[in-house]
Amino acid sequence: MFFDEQINRRGTHCTQWDYIEDRFGKSDLLPFTISDTDFKVPPAVEHALKERMEHPIFGYTRWNHDDFKEAITNWYVHRFDTVIEKEWLGYSPSVIYSVKQLITLLSDQGDGVIIQTPAYDAFYKTIIGNKRRVVTNDLIYDKGKYHLDLEDLALQMAKKENKILLLCSPHNPTGRVWEKQELIAIIELAKAYDVFIISDEIHMDILRKGHKHTPLIDLVQERVAVVTSGSKTFNFPGLIFSYVLIPDEGLRQRFFDQLKGADGLSSTSIFGLVATIAAYKKEAQWVDELNHYIDENIAFVTSYLKEQHPEVIVTPSEATYLMWLDCGALPYSMDELQTRLVDEGKVAIMSGATYGPSGKQFLRLNVGCPRQKLEEGLRRLTKSLQKDFMYDVSSFSERSDDQIIQRMD
């Protein structure tokens, strides 16, 4: 199977594998950390990139043309039953770059940006780094599932200095897919209090079976911008390409003026553009197969933890390839748990504290990887806990990292 293939990523300047020591203090760890996957890009993307490589000139490249725009608009129609106008589209090197630009265009220094926590750690950094204030609207965690706190959201939006809601849809790290009625409730509050919504929808394609993503722009076209990319879905964030949907012509022009004028980004990455067009035009079935594989990985982890570590509560996954594991019933602080994982198990799993105080009892486990790696990671998790919890780990034979990740011929 395509997604079972083991590919050695070491030696590629890969953040997840080559620089694990930067975050965890040791280099000999099996990583389940940063949110890219260990899957190679889809065949049509690989083919398109190789074909473009055969042309030996890599000059300045334009994104503003129908090849790009039709690939995006057709994807939205077929995946989400959503019609978007070509004029709304714009290029950006990354989703966080887009967030940064929109924050600075729509607010002043000292203004508040509301985020629903626990939240992607780059949100905090971008808001603070641009001299805005992080305003937290904690999600309600009840019986293992997350819900919006609309009452608190209304209170935060009512404060005139809070100009923006930075929405994550689907939500990272909890894996929630916001239902249509939840999004409508958010929109109604934003309209009532004149709050602009920036919706980060980079995880929009990676959905559990039975769940449907609703692009925010399908429900509202005023005081809203969507920032997203194919990079999470098709695993090419290193190609540096994302896009924005900005219906408001004036804001869109201001965004372009900043992109091209102030920041000198009039030309795009050739390979990011080529990969995005090929992926959206030709790899819908591949995405379906990817989602099925991740569904099975999540089911596998859930079953394993239920049998071997019932104290660890799995938050029901609705989207993303990131599992959110409640470790609050384990007899360790997160620092103690991380020490055990790193020193005993030789495994790197992200601490939920990275995503804010409300995540401090959680781990965020990246399951976007071949099953064999995941099996080894769970064996190492059990090894990390076995001094106090003597579970049967005989179902997983110990393997070295070199055996787990084999170099492709």
Side-chain angles (χ1 to χ4, degrees):
M1 182 184 291
F2 182 94
F3 300 103
D4 281 330
E5 183 177 355
Q6 307 291 312
I7 300 174
N8 189 348
R9 298 181 65 188
R10 288 196 182 91
T12 64
H13 305 294
C14 165
T15 301
Q16 182 165 188
W17 286 85
D18 287 330
Y19 300 101
I20 194 70
E21 187 174 3
D22 292 352
R23 186 183 292 268
F24 291 88
K26 294 188 176 182
S27 60
D28 59 339
L29 307 178
L30 189 64
F32 298 85
T33 54
I34 193 169
S35 57
D36 63 8
T37 74
D38 290 320
F39 305 133
K40 64 182 180 181
V41 296
V45 173
E46 185 176 10
H47 174 77
L49 291 171
K50 287 179 177 178
E51 185 175 60
R52 182 61 185 84
M53 278 291 293
E54 291 178 359
H55 193 293
I57 299 175
F58 309 105
Y60 293 118
T61 302
R62 182 166 295 189
W63 62 265
N64 194 0
H65 47 71
D66 281 346
D67 279 352
F68 166 63
K69 292 186 174 183
E70 287 177 0
I72 305 297
T73 56
N74 289 338
W75 186 262
Y76 271 74
V77 167
H78 294 131
R79 299 300 291 192
F80 310 119
D81 299 320
T82 297
V83 175
I84 59 174
E85 301 295 331
K86 291 181 182 179
E87 291 74 20
W88 299 350
L89 275 161
Y91 155 75
S92 166
S94 74
V95 163
I96 291 299
Y97 173 89
S98 300
V99 170
K100 181 265 181 188
Q101 293 296 5
L102 290 166
I103 285 175
T104 56
L105 290 170
L106 294 163
S107 65
D108 297 316
Q109 291 186 12
D111 284 342
V113 179
I114 303 167
I115 58 174
Q116 284 149 336
T117 51
Y120 176 38
D121 55 316
F123 284 3
Y124 297 94
K125 296 172 184 175
T126 302
I127 295 167
I128 294 168
N130 286 284
K131 297 180 171 59
R132 273 64 176 173
R133 291 183 303 104
V134 173
V135 179
T136 59
N137 169 225
D138 287 348
L139 299 175
I140 297 170
Y141 182 59
D142 182 36
K143 298 179 180 178
K145 187 172 181 179
Y146 283 88
H147 307 274
L148 294 170
D149 188 342
L150 293 172
E151 182 177 350
D152 179 69
L153 182 60
L155 291 173
Q156 301 301 341
M157 285 188 172
K159 299 174 184 177
K160 293 188 180 300
E161 66 271 21
N162 296 339
K163 304 288 181 61
I164 297 168
L165 169 64
L166 178 50
L167 180 70
C168 193
S169 178
H171 190 264
N172 172 19
T174 69
R176 269 302 315 274
V177 175
W178 304 122
E179 297 175 3
K180 187 174 181 179
Q181 290 305 312
E182 291 176 305
L183 293 174
I184 290 172
I186 290 172
I187 291 166
E188 289 176 348
L189 287 175
K191 284 182 178 178
Y193 296 109
D194 198 29
V195 170
F196 194 98
I197 305 175
I198 304 170
S199 186
D200 174 357
E201 302 188 9
I202 197 170
H203 293 280
M204 63 190 186
D205 297 309
I206 306 171
L207 304 169
R208 302 289 75 73
K209 186 176 182 179
H211 290 278
K212 179 178 174 60
H213 170 71
T214 301
L216 195 69
I217 214 159
D218 191 44
L219 304 176
V220 62
Q221 291 83 47
E222 296 179 353
R223 294 189 60 73
V224 65
V226 169
V227 296
T228 190
S229 173
S231 61
K232 281 284 187 287
T233 305
F234 302 102
N235 202 33
F236 48 69
L239 299 183
I240 314 302
F241 192 94
S242 77
Y243 57 94
V244 295
L245 300 171
I246 307 176
D248 182 272
E249 183 179 2
L251 177 61
R252 188 168 65 247
Q253 188 57 52
R254 290 168 65 202
F255 184 91
F256 290 160
D257 289 345
Q258 189 70 25
L259 179 89
K260 298 176 183 179
D263 295 344
L265 294 172
S266 58
S267 182
T268 186
S269 158
I270 294 174
F271 298 111
L273 177 69
V274 166
T276 299
I277 292 171
Y280 279 159
K281 282 188 173 182
K282 299 180 179 180
E283 291 294 2
Q285 184 176 344
W286 184 92
V287 175
D288 294 339
E289 293 169 358
L290 169 70
N291 279 328
H292 177 69
Y293 193 88
I294 294 171
D295 284 349
E296 291 191 332
N297 271 359
I298 288 174
F300 174 75
V301 173
T302 302
S303 177
Y304 179 90
L305 292 176
K306 184 177 181 180
E307 178 182 348
Q308 302 287 356
H309 303 289
E311 297 86 357
V312 178
I313 300 170
V314 177
T315 303
S317 175
E318 299 176 353
T320 82
Y321 47 77
L322 307 165
M323 294 186 71
W324 192 237
L325 308 178
D326 184 349
C327 301
L330 292 174
Y332 318 115
S333 68
M334 182 51 65
D335 287 344
E336 290 169 335
L337 180 56
Q338 284 293 326
T339 297
R340 283 174 167 269
L341 292 169
V342 170
D343 293 342
E344 298 291 331
K346 302 295 183 183
V347 61
I349 304 173
M350 294 293 285
S351 164
T354 303
Y355 312 100
S358 60
K360 64 183 179 181
Q361 69 188 47
F362 292 83
L363 292 173
R364 195 192 76 168
L365 177 70
N366 183 342
V367 297
C369 61
R371 177 69 57 79
Q372 190 178 6
K373 179 192 173 189
L374 194 56
E375 290 178 353
E376 177 65 10
L378 291 176
R379 188 196 67 77
R380 294 182 183 215
L381 172 65
T382 292
K383 184 178 180 181
S384 303
L385 304 176
Q386 67 184 2
K387 285 186 177 180
D388 297 303
F389 298 95
M390 299 302 293
Y391 292 115
D392 178 16
V393 296
S394 61
S395 58
F396 297 119
S397 58
E398 186 162 358
R399 312 176 182 93
S400 69
D401 287 352
D402 290 339
Q403 290 172 313
I404 294 297
I405 306 299
Q406 301 167 359
R407 187 175 298 278
M408 182 174 64
D409 292 334

